[in-house]
């Protein structure tokens, strides 16, 4: 019997053997060169159930939820850190600076009445920024851990459509790869809207990103835009010692969503803290050519010009959808006149396997709105149903006092001709607020005059951002003000003001 001989290992071709067979030369050397050239590049993996472009709040929440549902998921993020604007240069770092600057300001101005004597108080801005960065890095790493836990592939790079199912990714570490997905979510978020004639350098002319990373406290700061972002950053640097002037085109601060009565009260309190306001005023030009920045101002309806000098100008006139570089033209996706991707009620584009969530499509540009859409979009994908109630999306301004609201405001109800009733309760009559020596503000309810159904809740005061959750829940479930008033609230708490405001809407408050 003969044993089968094992095949001999193929010998690599020599240059002589290749030259003897010129017709085989390209076929033989091509794969060798390709292997060498592709070294360091990511390799193509199998087709994913879902590919997500963008690792901000909308993108990473969708990725985690889809992973929990058992889908094979890849998430592409170009920043090199997950969490998008919110975690890296938005909600999270700004709240760190707001909290710590408030503590600093409180120690300087609000300790004697509390029986606390302190010595010399100094600002260590570098350490304050370090505390902010520590918060950010901890949270972004936490999201990475959740990706691993839920088997989400994290691809660091910039993605663009190669075709309707394929994303070409230029990797952060060099090279490129392609990822195919049965379904694709676009979650690329938003960017600061630029101001015409002022080039942002994040040093003298800054966006919120630059405002979170200043190396020293400016003597004078001008803020173009009196919305939430502008007022939060204005509060931080005013508390730390800057002379801050806010220029706002509208006749109120906080943007059109804030109730006019609440906005007026907020402006009064912020003015007491040192902020200056120029409402009904537009910036017509800016000059950053000198040491500082000169802004030319005039009344919104036209009038005499004036000049505002500052060391730094913060441009905070809003945000716009970020979709540049996605290669949308390659697959024929359309945007509206504001650059937002067009979708249906299930977040689908005209290519039904491609959905859009978060700031780059319609609705308020809020992290929690993006999160709700992410959750709903995955449910539409896996269960054919999903839910986001856009009439119950809360907004919060994290100044001190905080301002929070959900539902409609009085301006909107009047415009729509809705018959409504109003009830409110001041924190000056709340026992916990009195013991905290922090009694500014109120809780205000708006309810249907006939049915008592809650139409809107508006709060200005300490911890308003936490309290608004109860208002959102009430609005979501169609509660009346009597429903809230008949619900037991712990004593003594700030939330009792919420109960009393509801009581004052359908009947009468007890403690005021």
């Amino acid at each position: 019997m003969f044993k089968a001989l094992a095949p001999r290992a193929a010998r690599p071709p020599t240059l002589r053997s290749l030259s003897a067979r010129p017709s085989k030369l390209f076929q033989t050397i091509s794969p060798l060169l390709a292997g060498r050239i592709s070294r360091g590049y990511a390799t193509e993996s199998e087709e994913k159930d879902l590919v997500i472009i963008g690792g901000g709040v909308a993108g990473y929440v969708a990725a985690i939820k889809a992973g929990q549902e058992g889908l094979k998921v890849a998430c592409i993020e170009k920043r090199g850190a997950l969490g998008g604007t919110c975690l890296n240069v938005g909600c999270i770092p700004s709240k760190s600076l707001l909290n710590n600057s408030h503590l600093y300001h409180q120690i300087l101005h609000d300790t004697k009445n509390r029986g606390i004597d302190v010595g010399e108080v100094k600002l260590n801005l570098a350490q304050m920024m370090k505390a902010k960065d520590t918060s950010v890095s901890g949270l972004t790493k936490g999201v990475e851990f959740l990706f691993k836990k839920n088997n989400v592939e994290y691809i660091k790079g910039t993605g663009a459509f190669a075709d309707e199912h394929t994303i070409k990714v230029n990797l952060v570490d060099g090279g490129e790869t392609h990822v195919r997905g049965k379904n694709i979510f676009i979650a690329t978020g938003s960017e600061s809207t630029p101001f015409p004639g002022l080039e942002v350098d994040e040093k003298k002319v800054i966006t919120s990103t630059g405002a979170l990373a200043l190396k020293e406290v400016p003597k004078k700061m001008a803020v173009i835009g009196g919305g939430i972002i502008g007022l939060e950053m204005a509060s931080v640097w005013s508390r730390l010692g800057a002379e801050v002037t806010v220029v706002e085109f509208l006749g109120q601060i906080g943007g059109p969503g804030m109730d006019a009565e609440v906005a007026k009260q907020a402006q009064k309190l912020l003015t007491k803290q040192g902020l200056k306001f120029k409402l009904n005023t537009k910036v017509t030009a800016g000059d950053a050519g000198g040491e500082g920045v000169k802004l030319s101002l005039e009344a919104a309806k036209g009038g005499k010009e004036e000049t505002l000098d500052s060391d730094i100008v913060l441009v905070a006139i809003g945000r716009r959808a970020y979709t540049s570089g996605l290669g949308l033209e390659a697959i024929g996706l359309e945007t509206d006149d504001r650059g937002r991707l067009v979708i249906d009620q299930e977040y689908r584009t005209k290519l039904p396997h491609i959905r859009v969530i978060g700031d780059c499509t319609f609705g308020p540009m809020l992290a929690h709105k993006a999160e709700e859409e992410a959750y709903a979009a995955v449910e539409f994908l896996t269960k054919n149903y999903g839910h986001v109630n856009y009439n119950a999306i809360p907004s919060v301004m994290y100044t001190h006092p905080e301002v929070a609201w959900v539902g409609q405001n009085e301006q909107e109800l009047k415009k729509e001709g809705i018959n409504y009733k109003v009830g409110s309760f001041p924190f000056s009559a709340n026992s916990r607020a009195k013991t905290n020596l922090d009694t500014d503000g109120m809780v205000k309810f708006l309810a249907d005059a006939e049915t008592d159904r809650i139409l809107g809740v508006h709060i200005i005061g300490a911890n308003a951002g936490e309290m608004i959750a109860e208002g959102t829940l009430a609005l979501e479930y169609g509660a009346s003000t009597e429903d809230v008033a008949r619900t037991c609230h712990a004593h003594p708490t700030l939330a009792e003001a919420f109960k009393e405001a509801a009581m004052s809407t359908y009947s009468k408050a007890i403690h005021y």
Side-chain angles (χ1 to χ4, degrees), residues 457-492:
V457 180
H458 303 266
I459 309 172
I460 175 171
N463 290 342
E466 303 294 336
M467 229 180 299
I468 201 63
E470 184 177 356
T472 306
L473 187 65
L475 207 66
E476 178 68 37
Y477 284 94
S480 66
T481 60
E482 185 176 358
D483 290 330
V484 172
R486 291 188 179 277
T487 302
C488 185
H489 288 62
H491 173 79

Side-chain angles (χ1 to χ4, degrees), residues 155-228:
I155 303 173
K156 297 182 181 182
T158 303
F161 283 94
D163 60 46
E164 293 179 4
H165 283 275
T166 307
I167 308 299
K168 176 186 173 182
V169 185
N170 289 320
L171 300 167
V172 169
D173 293 333
E176 67 179 42
T177 190
H178 289 77
V179 189
R180 283 189 59 81
K182 295 174 187 174
N183 298 280
I184 296 170
F185 284 5
I186 301 173
T188 46
S190 60
E191 62 181 349
S192 296
T193 303
F195 189 86
L198 274 177
E199 186 176 346
V200 172
D201 61 4
E202 299 297 8
K203 292 178 182 177
K204 284 199 301 182
V205 180
I206 62 176
T207 65
S208 55
T209 299
L212 294 167
L214 294 179
K215 303 293 187 206
E216 59 184 28
V217 180
K219 290 181 180 179
K220 291 185 177 182
M221 172 185 276
V223 180
I224 306 176
I228 291 177

Side-chain angles (χ1 to χ4, degrees), residues 344-404:
D344 66 11
Q345 69 276 10
E346 294 185 13
Y347 310 105
R348 294 173 300 198
T349 64
K350 67 179 184 179
L351 301 174
H353 70 284
I354 300 177
R355 286 178 159 90
V356 187
I357 51 177
D359 284 5
C360 57
T361 189
F362 310 124
M365 291 184 175
L366 297 168
H368 43 279
K369 172 263 194 186
E371 186 171 349
E372 294 302 309
E373 288 183 339
Y375 200 95
V378 172
E379 287 198 320
F380 276 123
L381 186 63
T382 57
K383 299 178 175 135
N384 293 317
Y385 65 81
H387 164 80
V388 177
N389 181 357
Y390 290 95
N391 294 316
I393 303 289
S395 294
V396 185
M397 183 171 78
Y398 296 89
T399 52
H400 189 85
E402 293 179 354
V403 181

Side-chain angles (χ1 to χ4, degrees), residues 248-251 279-282 284 297-304:
E248 170 55 51
F249 183 81
L250 299 177
L279 304 186
N280 294 304
T281 303
K282 62 182 176 181
T284 57
L297 315 176
E298 69 176 37
K301 295 181 179 178
K304 185 180 177 182

Side-chain angles (χ1 to χ4, degrees), residues 159-335:
F161 283 94
D163 60 46
E164 293 179 4
H165 283 275
T166 307
I167 308 299
K168 176 186 173 182
V169 185
N170 289 320
L171 300 167
V172 169
D173 293 333
E176 67 179 42
T177 190
H178 289 77
V179 189
R180 283 189 59 81
K182 295 174 187 174
N183 298 280
I184 296 170
F185 284 5
I186 301 173
T188 46
S190 60
E191 62 181 349
S192 296
T193 303
F195 189 86
L198 274 177
E199 186 176 346
V200 172
D201 61 4
E202 299 297 8
K203 292 178 182 177
K204 284 199 301 182
V205 180
I206 62 176
T207 65
S208 55
T209 299
L212 294 167
L214 294 179
K215 303 293 187 206
E216 59 184 28
V217 180
K219 290 181 180 179
K220 291 185 177 182
M221 172 185 276
V223 180
I224 306 176
I228 291 177
I229 294 173
L231 293 175
E232 288 184 352
M233 290 297 95
S235 289
V236 167
W237 293 106
S238 173
R239 292 167 184 168
L240 298 181
E243 181 185 315
V244 182
T245 303
V246 179
V247 183
E248 170 55 51
F249 183 81
L250 299 177
Q252 71 166 59
I253 65 171
M258 189 180 289
D259 185 82
E261 181 186 7
V262 172
K264 192 172 182 179
Q265 192 172 147
Q267 184 185 341
K268 184 178 178 181
L269 293 169
L270 291 173
T271 300
K272 279 177 65 178
Q273 294 171 22
L275 293 179
K276 298 177 182 179
F277 293 93
K278 290 182 177 293
L279 304 186
N280 294 304
T281 303
K282 62 182 176 181
V283 178
T284 57
D287 181 6
E291 282 190 16
V293 186
K294 288 183 180 291
L295 297 180
S296 299
L297 315 176
E298 69 176 37
K301 295 181 179 178
K304 185 180 177 182
E305 273 205 3
E306 62 175 306
T307 300
L308 178 63
D309 292 322
S310 60
D311 302 302
I312 285 176
V313 169
L314 167 61
V315 177
I317 57 174
R319 297 183 66 82
R320 63 183 183 182
Y322 182 80
T323 57
S324 64
L326 273 177
L328 300 177
E329 62 284 350
I331 55 172
L333 288 188
E334 47 192 319
T335 58

Side-chain angles (χ1 to χ4, degrees), residues 388-461:
V388 177
N389 181 357
Y390 290 95
N391 294 316
I393 303 289
S395 294
V396 185
M397 183 171 78
Y398 296 89
T399 52
H400 189 85
E402 293 179 354
V403 181
W405 67 93
V406 66
Q408 293 174 286
N409 58 42
E410 281 204 71
Q411 307 94 282
E412 292 166 340
L413 294 175
K414 288 175 181 177
K415 187 176 180 180
E416 293 178 23
I418 296 173
N419 189 19
Y420 67 95
K421 55 186 178 178
V422 183
S424 63
F425 189 84
F427 283 108
S428 58
N430 174 265
S431 56
R432 184 65 189 275
K434 279 183 173 292
T435 61
N436 290 348
L437 301 180
D438 199 352
T439 58
D440 289 330
M442 65 172 177
V443 180
K444 176 179 178 178
F445 274 83
L446 303 171
D448 187 281
E450 295 179 8
T451 66
D452 191 38
R453 182 171 179 166
I454 297 168
L455 302 174
V457 180
H458 303 266
I459 309 172
I460 175 171

